[in-house]
Structure formats: C-alpha cells, structure tokens
Amino acid sequence: MARKIGFYGVILYCLYGLLFYWYLFYFADTSLSFEYEGTRADPATFLNGRELMLSEEYSKVRNLLFFLSTPFEWLFYLFILLLGLSNAFKKWAEQSAKYKFVQRAIYLIWLSFFAFIATLPLSYISYSLSKSYNISTQTFGGWMKDELIDFWVNYGTLLIIVTVLYWIINKSRKRWWLYAWLLSIPFTLFMMFLQPVVIDPLYNDFYPLKNKELEAKILALADKAHIPAEHVYEVNMSEKTNALNAYVNGIGSNSRIVLWDTTLNRLDEQEILFIMAHEMGHYVEKHIYFGIAGYLLLSLVGLYITGRMMEIIISRWGKELKVPAVNDIRSLPLLLMIISMLMFISSPLSNFVSRYEEARADHYAIKLTKDTDAAIKTFQELTRAGKSQVNPPLLVKIFRYGHPTMLERISSLEEYGLKNHLKKHE
C-alpha cells in the first residue's frame, strides 16, 4: 500500500507539472485587449522589444518554478513518512539524548536538514534564473549565506513552535488546535515586533536615510497624513538585486518605513514620494492590523481542519505512514504537509484581500500626492526593473499576486488622471 501511495503521488506531481507547463507556455494569453493598446499601461509604450521578450521569458519560468515548488514540498513530506525516515529520525534522537526537548531538537534538525537538501536545487535554479536575467546581483557565496540564515531562523522558530505544540497535543488530544491557536496570537505579535530589529538585520544593513532633504519631505508627507513617523530607513539591497521596493513593517515602537537603495538610485524624488504615500496609505487604513486579524482567523480555521485531517489520515493510513498517533513526533511531516496544502488552497482568498488593500493604498497615494505622471512612471519602472508581466495569466494572478497587476494599476491611474482633468475644465 505504501508503494502505491508513493507511486501515485509521483504520477500526480508529474501530471500537475506538465499541466502547468502547458498552461503557462502554450495556453495562457498575456496579450492586451485592444482598449489598452497604445495606452501608458501597454508595455510596448515603455519597454523596448528585447525588454518585452525577456520579461515574458523570465515570468513564464519563474511562475512555473512557483507552481512546482509547493507541491514538491508535499511530495517530500510524504516520502519522509513512507520511507520510514521520520521513524529513523525519532530513533536517532532517542539514542542521542534522554531529555524530551533535546530529542525533539535532534529530530527537527534531521528533518530540517533533509528538507533543506531536497529543496536546495529548486532554490538554486530560482537564484540562477534571476542572475541570468540580471535581476539578482548577489554572489553565490552571498546567496548561500542567506540560505543558511534562513535555515537557522526557521529551525529556531520551528523548534519553539513544535515543542509547545506537541506538549499541548499530549495534554489535550481533542482541543489542541484551539489552545495552539490561542498561544499563536501573542507569539505572532511578538514575532512581528521583533522582525524589523532582530530578524531583518541578519540579512541586510539598515540605516537612517542618508538624503536628509528627501527624508524631510517624506516626513512632511507623513505629517500631512497624520502619521507619527520619526525616521525613514534605507537598506543596501543593491548588493543582492536590481529590483525596486519599499515597505512598512513591524508594529508599535518598532514599526519602520524602509526604502531599498535600488529604489533611491533608480527613481526620482516625486516617484519616491508616491511610493512613500502608498505605504502611508496602508498605515492610515490600518491594513497591518486587518492583516493580522485575517491571518489569525484563517489560522484558527486551518488548525481545526489540520487536527481533523490528521486524525482521519492516521486512523486510515497510519500503518503505511508509520505514524501511530497524532501526539507522536513522527506525525510532524504530516502536519507540515497539511498546513502547506491549506496555505496553498487559501492563497487565492488572502491574495484577493491583499490586492484590494494595495488598490486602496494606490488610491490614497494619488489623492495625497496628486501626481499621476509620477505614479505611472513609478509602476513602469517597477515593471522594467523586476521584468514582470503587465498582464499575467489568470491562475498566476490568483495564486501569486498580492498586488493588482500593473495593467490594473496603471490603467486606474490613467482613468483617475482623465477624470481629474475633466473636472478642472468643467
């Protein structure tokens, strides 16, 4: 039975991969409808022929890698269970230590190491792809360093979560999902508080914005929007990428406005101010807190479904998976596989909400700056720098895009500019 499960798992994964390859390379239509041709949203008006070709090529391969990587993770966890590796990890842990916490730490380091090795080829292909299309500027050593930081940050976080989670499951087999969710609330808020000052600096150097004249204008814009901001930070992303970005993260006293140095180098002052106004829109409309609330609601539903599915799967196929009970640490790969599946399935909903919030932030930014031309040029430059598709395929938009497409963003700005122009001449 275990062989059958593994065989069908591989066959389904291959069929899934072929289906998405056919969809992305042969079926999906990314051309613009006639009403957008010749407008400022038409990439042919701001990209040359080579840039258009490279954007299409890069986007297709990158999107295929995205759709292949998540189900590959499920297949990996399935084979960890079917081949008895989860069982072996537990035995090695029990032979190496007598304390439960140390045993779990050893089990988890083995599982994390195997996951790292299994997923490294796909990660390297993604890195190599971005290098070949001149998006990544990072050396192999720098990329490998970030991968190792990721490994240890994820391991440390997962060790805390797993230790507490299995303690809860052993205390309450029926309601562990509820107690785990209740504990996840302060943990999530604590991690968001730590992110800007502890985790992010592990990857990059952050420092106050060097251009004090620009900082004064950004802070004046923040004051106009009634935002209590004191400092704007820049980060040295040019060592790693040619892409552009800016964001606000953290909560409470640790919240930060951050600009990539690539953004500062590539955009003019008015375009930077538009990006900052967009980020301020998120603050004014409290999107961070709505995002936290949405995440916690989804995680409550997700943990409940995970608990129910684990009971059903272990009762029916526990022997084949070599997992005797939910509260056994050997069930961890199954738990991680189910959570990953649920996150993938729920991503269209979370992306839809995110796109709505991003559109609201765009609307707020243009009302605050009243500079349609700078806003449109910003999105055109973001498209060029990231080699992104202006009009991506529908499934790509649904599963990958937390922002409106560039077609939607630029065309809505053109519409806003036209309405404003007509109002002035009435």
Side-chain angles (χ1 to χ4, degrees):
M1 184 65 179
R3 285 184 180 179
K4 275 188 178 180
I5 294 171
F7 175 76
Y8 287 126
V10 171
I11 292 297
L12 284 172
Y13 179 73
C14 290
L15 289 173
Y16 164 89
L18 287 170
L19 181 66
F20 267 99
Y21 176 80
W22 170 77
Y23 172 75
L24 293 170
F25 284 84
Y26 296 103
F27 180 77
D29 183 13
T30 58
S31 61
L32 303 186
S33 54
F34 73 92
E35 66 263 31
Y36 295 110
E37 290 178 4
T39 67
R40 296 181 74 181
D42 184 350
T45 63
F46 60 90
L47 298 179
N48 61 43
R50 179 171 170 74
E51 287 173 332
L52 277 169
M53 181 192 70
L54 292 175
S55 294
E56 283 297 314
E57 282 181 0
Y58 175 70
S59 296
K60 284 176 182 177
V61 180
R62 185 185 59 173
N63 290 332
L64 181 62
L65 285 172
F66 166 80
F67 283 110
L68 289 177
S69 60
T70 304
F72 179 80
E73 185 184 346
W74 310 340
L75 199 64
F76 165 77
Y77 286 129
L78 179 64
F79 273 89
I80 286 289
L81 293 165
L82 293 174
L83 295 174
L85 287 171
S86 185
N87 199 30
F89 298 157
K90 185 182 180 184
K91 282 184 180 177
W92 297 341
E94 287 173 343
Q95 290 167 1
S96 304
K98 62 179 180 178
Y99 296 107
K100 277 282 183 185
F101 175 77
V102 180
Q103 287 175 3
R104 283 183 179 149
I106 294 169
Y107 172 93
L108 194 57
I109 197 72
W110 278 112
L111 180 62
S112 300
F113 174 73
F114 271 69
F116 179 78
I117 295 300
T119 57
L120 192 63
L122 278 175
S123 298
Y124 177 75
I125 290 169
S126 181
Y127 159 73
S128 182
L129 178 73
S130 61
K131 279 283 282 188
S132 63
Y133 281 87
N134 199 34
I135 291 175
S136 173
T137 58
Q138 197 171 21
T139 62
F140 175 79
W143 172 77
M144 200 66 218
K145 177 187 172 186
D146 280 354
E147 290 290 306
L148 291 172
I149 292 171
D150 269 346
F151 174 86
W152 288 111
V153 168
N154 292 336
Y155 173 76
T157 307
L158 198 57
L159 179 59
I160 295 167
I161 293 169
V162 167
T163 301
V164 174
L165 182 64
Y166 277 86
W167 176 79
I168 294 170
I169 294 173
N170 277 298
K171 292 291 182 183
S172 176
R173 285 281 296 273
K174 287 186 177 180
R175 293 189 178 85
W176 67 264
W177 55 271
L178 178 60
Y179 302 133
W181 178 76
L182 290 170
L183 282 175
S184 76
I185 298 172
F187 183 76
T188 300
L189 295 174
F190 178 67
M191 290 302 291
M192 288 188 72
F193 185 78
L194 284 186
Q195 183 80 31
V197 293
V198 175
I199 298 173
D200 288 349
L202 294 174
Y203 298 88
N204 298 99
D205 296 323
F206 292 78
Y207 31 82
L209 189 62
K210 295 172 186 173
N211 187 337
K212 294 304 173 186
E213 188 179 334
L214 177 60
E215 183 182 45
K217 289 181 180 179
I218 292 171
L219 294 177
L221 201 64
D223 185 59
K224 189 178 174 182
H226 308 292
I227 296 172
E230 293 182 7
H231 297 289
V232 180
Y233 289 83
E234 61 179 282
V235 54
N236 61 330
M237 288 300 296
S238 55
E239 295 179 358
K240 298 182 179 182
T241 183
N242 284 318
L244 315 179
N245 197 17
Y247 60 88
V248 175
N249 72 342
I251 56 173
S253 59
N254 278 1
S255 59
R256 284 183 172 185
I257 298 173
V258 179
L259 274 162
W260 287 11
D261 62 346
T262 51
T263 304
L264 291 164
N265 296 336
R266 293 276 290 272
L267 300 183
D268 66 31
E269 191 174 274
Q270 294 307 309
E271 291 162 0
I272 291 169
L273 289 175
F274 172 78
I275 287 181
M276 288 292 92
H278 170 94
E279 298 304 330
M280 291 169 192
H282 286 306
Y283 179 91
V284 169
E285 300 216 349
K286 297 179 171 55
H287 290 161
I288 291 173
Y289 299 102
F290 284 124
I292 294 170
Y295 166 77
L296 291 173
L297 179 61
L298 278 177
S299 64
L300 173 62
V301 176
L303 282 169
Y304 171 74
I305 295 172
T306 300
R308 296 293 300 148
M309 286 183 69
M310 285 184 73
E311 290 287 355
I312 293 166
I313 291 169
I314 290 171
S315 65
R316 288 192 64 180
W317 298 290
K319 186 178 178 183
E320 288 79 4
L321 299 175
K322 301 169 182 64
V323 179
V326 174
N327 63 336
D328 193 296
I329 190 65
R330 286 172 286 185
S331 69
L332 180 59
L334 177 62
L335 183 143
L336 294 173
M337 181 172 69
I338 293 169
I339 289 175
S340 177
M341 286 178 169
L342 292 175
M343 287 176 68
F344 185 76
I345 292 165
S346 65
S347 61
L349 175 61
S350 55
N351 285 341
F352 174 80
V353 174
S354 176
R355 287 195 300 271
Y356 171 77
E357 290 180 343
E358 293 295 337
R360 293 281 301 174
D362 283 350
H363 184 68
Y364 178 87
I366 198 62
K367 285 182 72 177
L368 189 65
T369 61
K370 303 188 188 311
D371 194 340
T372 310
D373 188 59
I376 291 173
K377 284 180 180 177
T378 299
F379 290 138
Q380 289 175 338
E381 191 57 38
L382 285 169
T383 303
R384 179 181 289 107
K387 290 184 172 59
S388 53
Q389 289 171 310
V390 168
N391 186 33
L394 180 62
L395 288 179
V396 173
K397 175 185 172 181
I398 290 171
F399 281 95
R400 289 207 68 191
Y401 275 51
H403 290 71
T405 66
M406 288 303 181
L407 176 64
E408 293 166 336
R409 300 180 93 169
I410 297 173
S411 58
S412 68
L413 286 169
E414 280 198 298
E415 189 179 333
Y416 177 87
L418 181 61
K419 285 179 180 177
N420 235 25
H421 179 75
L422 290 173
K423 279 182 183 178
K424 286 178 182 178
H425 291 81
E426 280 179 357

